Amino acid sequence: GDCNISSELEKKLLANGIIKKTDYLENGLYKLADGSIVENRRINIPKLKVGNKTISNVIVSVGPFDSPNLLGQSFLKKLN
């Protein structure tokens, strides 16, 4: 259900001050489509804007450098 960002995007967000070290949460366990379980960093992004919608406090997991950036239920449920 969480959104996912690549570690590459994470570095850019940190460098630009969009996220801060205080936005990090406890790591989370995620089940992949192949059934394997991975542990990823988790971040609470204070504001996430997509188009004309701005959503507050979106939880994202951080995947490997080349992982896709995906909007998950943690974002979509807040859209009404």
Side-chain angles (χ1 to χ4, degrees):
D2 286 348
C3 298
N4 185 75
I5 63 171
S6 67
S7 59
E8 176 184 21
L9 179 56
E10 174 193 23
K11 288 178 186 177
K12 290 177 184 177
L13 295 175
L14 279 167
N16 291 317
I18 295 168
I19 58 172
K20 298 170 181 51
K21 292 292 183 182
T22 56
D23 295 321
Y24 282 80
L25 306 169
E26 288 186 24
N27 288 355
L29 297 176
Y30 294 90
K31 188 172 188 176
L32 303 180
D34 67 2
S36 63
I37 306 265
V38 295
E39 183 175 353
N40 286 350
R41 289 184 303 282
R42 294 172 60 232
I43 305 168
N44 177 51
I45 297 182
K47 291 188 188 232
L48 180 62
K49 185 172 183 179
V50 176
N52 63 352
K53 300 281 187 184
T54 300
I55 305 298
S56 298
N57 298 316
V58 177
I59 306 296
V60 301
S61 67
V62 180
F65 183 81
D66 60 349
S67 67
N69 300 311
L70 302 171
L71 292 176
Q73 290 299 319
S74 61
F75 175 84
L76 298 173
K77 284 182 180 179
K78 296 182 179 193
L79 286 178
N80 292 339

